[in-house]
Amino acid sequence: MKLDNSIISIEIANHGAELKSAVKDGFEYMWCADEKYWARTSPVLFPIVGSLKDNLYKLDGKVYPMNQHGFARDNEFELIEHDNTSATYLFKDNEETLKKYPFKFELIIKYTLINNIIKIEWTVKNKNDKVMSFSIGAHPAFNLKEGDNFFKFDTNNNIVYNLLDENGLLDKNSVHTLENDGYVKITDDMFDNDALIIENRQAKEVTICDKNKSAYLKVVFDTELFGLWSPAKKRAPFVCIEPWYGRCDRNDFDGELTKKDYIINISPGEEFNASYKIELL
């Protein structure tokens, strides 16, 4: 599906309802999914974000398998509504998802073009007669421009982050700081230890700037945490800015899914709504 409002144009795949392209003034902002570095562009993370301890979780005394970031990104969505500047996709539970995740659900993703902005809206509906537990997150990858690139945050405070351990789990003892003097240079070794996990609502906007410190892309969100990522030790020509409602397990977590950090629990018949924006500058 292609959307175009004469300012920006985007392309979305039915597979994963994944944003594949975003162009303004002839510049392609989205990573091309070259498997040499990373074979995805902007997957949705559902019903978990990140990795589980041993790729398993507990629920009501049972143990279920679940791979990193869940399964929504690997399934076909149905295009249920569209016009020139918006498209809405639906993914429901099925026989395969119920083996890994014993909940009936509807996941709706809507893309809307508003001038130079791509608005992405998520709706998760609980179709069960019991509380449903889940996480959801974004993982868009953006091309870097030639020469140095910089992050700019909507805060002048230093950014405190955690790293993952060798199993992809949060290490609460691995605490580090990005020195923020208004701009943070994106260095070749910034992601050598995988993603930077930034909690406690330290920022609501992350901007990427070129070698002249001119802003060319901004991600706007209202989440308790977000991630910054590029493939470890690959010097990839893109970075991901990831608003999350949830994250990987702590490496000392041993509880049920309902008690997982940042987990969302919604009652029967209820729905969860959230959104974020990508501004092409």
Side-chain angles (χ1 to χ4, degrees), residues 31-41 231 234 238:
W31 168 241
C32 66
D34 180 352
E35 63 183 16
K36 175 182 176 182
Y37 295 101
W38 189 53
R40 301 182 189 268
T41 297
K234 288 190 176 182
F238 68 88

Side-chain angles (χ1 to χ4, degrees), residues 16 29 122 154 170 188 219 243:
Y29 286 79
W122 297 321
D154 61 331
L170 186 82
D188 283 345
V219 180

Side-chain angles (χ1 to χ4, degrees), residues 231-249:
K233 298 181 180 179
K234 288 190 176 182
R235 310 299 190 257
F238 68 88
V239 294
C240 295
I241 302 170
E242 308 179 36
W244 292 336
Y245 292 88
R247 60 149 164 75
C248 61
D249 281 347

Side-chain angles (χ1 to χ4, degrees), residues 135-186:
S135 298
I136 190 167
H139 203 317
F142 304 112
N143 285 322
L144 295 171
K145 291 199 171 182
E146 186 176 352
D148 291 338
N149 289 257
F150 299 84
F151 287 126
K152 184 174 176 60
F153 302 94
D154 61 331
T155 175
N156 292 321
N157 296 329
N158 291 337
I159 300 294
V160 178
Y161 64 92
N162 287 85
L163 292 173
L164 305 175
D165 68 10
E166 64 276 8
N167 298 310
L169 305 177
L170 186 82
D171 185 352
K172 276 292 188 182
N173 296 317
S174 182
V175 183
H176 306 268
T177 301
L178 290 177
E179 299 293 333
N180 179 17
D181 63 357
Y183 297 89
V184 175
K185 186 177 178 180
I186 301 172

